Amino acid sequence: MNNGIKIVTIGGGSSYTPELVEGFIKRYTELPISELWLVDIPAGQEKLNIVGNLAKRMVEKAGLPIKVHLTLDRREALKNADFVTTQFRVGLLDARAKDERIPLKYNVIGQETNGPGGLFKGLRTIPVILDICKDIEELCPDAWLVNFTNPAGMVTEAVLRYSNIKKVVGLCNVPVGIKMRTAEMLGVEPERVQIDFAGLNHMVYGLNVYVDGVSVMDKVIDLMANPDNSMTMKNIKNIGWEPEFIRGLKAIPCPYHRYYYKTSEMLEDEMRAANEEGTRAEVVKQVEKELFELYKNPDLAVKPPQLEKRGGAYYSDAACNLINSIYNDKRDIQPVNTRNNGAIASIPDDSAVEVNCVITKEGPKPISVGDLPVAAKGLVQQIKSFERVVAEAAVTGDYNTALLAMTINPLVPSDQIAKQILDEMLEAHKEYLPQFFSAVEA
Ligand code: G6P
């Protein structure tokens, strides 16, 4: 890394890219990036050009010597990369809309990373990430892979267990979002707040909260028990928790826990939305259209505030802080997705968990939490089993394994309904699931 850092972003045409670029610009003194390669596929060429040119203008405006390259040639880009970030969506938003709509026909939650939708996003994404891993192994074996591609937990799990890449970290903005909102509720600056996070991606709990090192958990529980303080992300309906439930749980659930602890209310709202404003993917399509119109403006050279309509707020902070801490061996604490290694008892050592880690130049070192509270442990274990079975189904293309994954998901009520959803979704996503179809067709 003597001549500056080389970053490669796969899915560089994403509307989120300005977030990342802004994060790199802000940290340039500590993180001297010399090259940023934005990579996409032919279907993403137009978006790549638009957002890539905005990235160039942002760097130019900041007066920094970061060379931004736009390319469709992933292998060319990956050569000697120091960090590879991944933020792609196989099948684009149309595939997500199917993940959201099809399960609703069966009275089952339709969501990007949970239930049948999460399963199918995993099946589409895992083979692609494993392919990228092979390229990394060959072209930049010392690089860190920093993944934000959803379902981030399953993707990290698959990389850890089915590739030779060891230097991988999965990232999510949910913990940062919880921290910001908690600080706001407490009326203190976020830098003074520390939260013990543990669980899985999109299933993480805040187990304790400190201000200046002193636990304020009782106060946080009191605040959270007030439905007016309910916290969420832009993509998840903000329905307040039952106060007694929060007092019983004695932990901060993440916004995604609503799909499990408020399944009927969330399902009802998804059904309503599907008939009115559209599913989240359909709404996001519209937001993206507006964003890309703005990005085209040659006078725009900063991240437009409209990007905040997306669910990924603070994601660049999470990504850039992580890269910064690895590069500078900062040894600060950040919640990331990494190999458990015993940090959470009752989750397999070789599985991905989302947990506070000390971030060193050798990567994240998970901080041991012992066991999860009994009320959280069972659900976390069940979702982890689901994620492991999904990863196996994605790699093998085995129908029975996919059906097993669908059936053991707690949002799916029976094996028969699981089979119906599976069959309809396999057909709908056929184009992106060669592992399930190529052998049959051959
Ligand atoms: C949340 C999640 C991300 C997810 C995003 C979706 O922030 O943590 O993992 O990608 O929401 O946002 P969108 O605007 O695409 O619905």
Side-chain angles (χ1 to χ4, degrees):
M1 298 191 202
N2 292 335
N3 302 320
I5 306 164
K6 176 175 179 180
I7 310 253
V8 177
T9 298
I10 296 177
S14 158
S15 58
Y16 280 121
T17 294
E19 278 264 343
L20 197 61
V21 175
E22 184 190 70
F24 288 142
I25 290 175
K26 273 206 283 199
R27 290 166 182 82
Y28 183 79
T29 13
E30 285 184 285
L31 203 59
I33 294 169
S34 54
E35 294 173 59
L36 172 61
W37 289 68
L38 302 177
V39 184
D40 222 297
I41 55 168
Q45 167 99 67
E46 199 196 336
K47 283 167 74 180
L48 177 67
N49 286 342
I50 297 171
V51 82
N53 286 328
L54 170 59
K56 288 181 183 175
R57 295 194 297 275
M58 289 171 75
V59 166
E60 199 188 332
K61 181 167 189 228
L64 294 174
I66 305 175
K67 183 114 185 49
V68 179
H69 299 261
L70 314 182
T71 182
L72 301 186
D73 188 343
R74 181 169 95 199
R75 290 179 57 82
E76 161 77 19
L78 283 175
K79 277 180 208 149
N80 302 318
D82 297 305
F83 291 92
V84 179
T85 71
T86 40
Q87 51 177 34
F88 58 89
R89 189 188 291 284
V90 179
L92 306 172
L93 284 166
D94 283 338
R96 175 173 170 188
K98 290 178 188 171
D99 286 342
E100 292 168 345
R101 273 199 183 265
I102 295 173
L104 291 182
K105 293 194 206 169
Y106 302 88
N107 287 319
V108 170
I109 295 282
Q111 213 279 325
E112 182 186 20
T113 59
N114 289 268
L119 161 58
F120 269 81
K121 190 156 167 56
L123 297 181
R124 297 193 298 275
T125 310
I126 288 169
V128 177
I129 196 87
L130 294 178
D131 225 42
I132 293 172
C133 286
K134 284 192 196 132
D135 284 351
I136 293 179
E137 220 185 313
E138 183 190 332
L139 300 162
C140 51
D142 293 329
W144 279 95
L145 169 58
V146 178
N147 175 66
F148 337 122
T149 301
N150 269 327
M154 281 183 232
V155 167
T156 312
E157 178 85 26
V159 171
L160 288 172
R161 302 212 356 261
Y162 294 98
S163 85
N164 296 321
I165 301 292
K166 301 276 177 289
K167 291 165 88 171
V168 57
V169 189
L171 267 191
C172 185
N173 61 340
V174 163
V176 204
I178 293 178
K179 180 174 158 169
M180 301 304 272
R181 182 74 189 99
T182 305
E184 195 186 1
M185 271 189 327
L186 289 165
V188 301
E189 302 76 49
E191 304 73 53
R192 296 174 56 199
V193 175
Q194 185 71 35
I195 302 183
D196 290 342
F197 285 109
L200 307 179
N201 181 236
H202 289 183
M203 179 152 284
V204 74
Y205 295 84
L207 299 179
N208 207 338
V209 179
Y210 311 85
V211 173
D212 303 331
V214 178
S215 175
V216 291
M217 196 56 182
D218 291 345
K219 188 168 176 196
V220 170
I221 295 296
D222 274 347
L223 287 164
M224 282 207 59
N226 176 353
D228 292 343
N229 285 330
S230 170
M231 56 173 89
T232 196
M233 330 280 293
K234 288 272 156 51
N235 55 315
I236 301 172
K237 173 85 176 175
N238 192 1
I239 309 181
W241 300 105
E242 293 298 325
E244 298 81 359
F245 166 67
I246 293 296
R247 290 189 196 285
L249 185 65
K250 298 188 188 70
I252 309 178
C254 82
Y256 284 87
H257 276 113
R258 289 189 177 82
Y259 294 108
Y260 301 89
Y261 298 142
K262 281 187 171 298
T263 315
S264 6
E265 295 92 316
M266 294 305 277
L267 182 59
E268 194 185 322
D269 188 68
E270 284 195 341
M271 303 255 194
R272 180 205 55 75
N275 290 325
E276 294 174 14
E277 71 267 23
T279 69
R280 179 67 190 166
E282 289 156 2
V283 170
V284 166
K285 256 187 171 179
Q286 201 44 46
V287 175
E288 283 224 324
K289 226 191 220 163
E290 290 163 23
L291 281 173
F292 277 91
E293 276 313 308
L294 291 171
Y295 292 177
K296 277 184 196 163
N297 177 357
D299 296 328
L300 179 77
V302 291
K303 178 188 88 176
Q306 286 88 338
L307 187 52
E308 281 157 26
K309 288 190 194 167
R310 298 293 306 274
Y314 309 122
Y315 117 104
S316 75
D317 275 336
C320 299
N321 284 343
L322 172 74
I323 294 175
N324 193 358
S325 292
I326 293 178
Y327 180 73
N328 289 306
D329 195 26
K330 285 202 167 190
R331 299 176 178 264
D332 55 347
I333 295 175
Q334 298 181 26
V336 297
N337 287 266
T338 190
R339 194 179 192 276
N340 183 27
N341 282 346
I344 303 180
S346 64
I347 295 292
D349 282 358
D350 63 346
S351 267
V353 290
E354 191 163 288
V355 69
N356 280 5
C357 294
V358 177
I359 311 295
T360 75
K361 65 177 185 309
E362 272 92 40
K365 306 287 172 211
I367 299 174
S368 175
V369 291
D371 218 342
L372 293 170
V374 65
K377 177 164 129 176
L379 178 59
V380 169
Q381 283 181 323
Q382 195 179 353
I383 292 298
K384 181 42 72 185
S385 300
F386 165 72
E387 291 184 349
R388 287 178 74 104
V389 182
V390 176
E392 189 188 331
V395 169
T396 58
D398 180 61
Y399 180 91
N400 296 350
T401 310
L403 179 59
L404 186 64
M406 182 76 89
T407 307
I408 65 172
N409 187 285
L411 299 178
V412 178
S414 85
D415 61 346
Q416 200 179 16
I417 291 174
K419 193 168 187 324
Q420 290 165 1
I421 302 177
L422 182 69
D423 290 346
E424 182 167 347
M425 291 183 82
L426 276 173
E427 200 49 42
H429 291 300
K430 198 171 180 174
E431 191 185 340
Y432 303 107
L433 298 171
Q435 73 273 43
F436 285 88
F437 292 95
S438 51
V440 179
E441 272 158 18

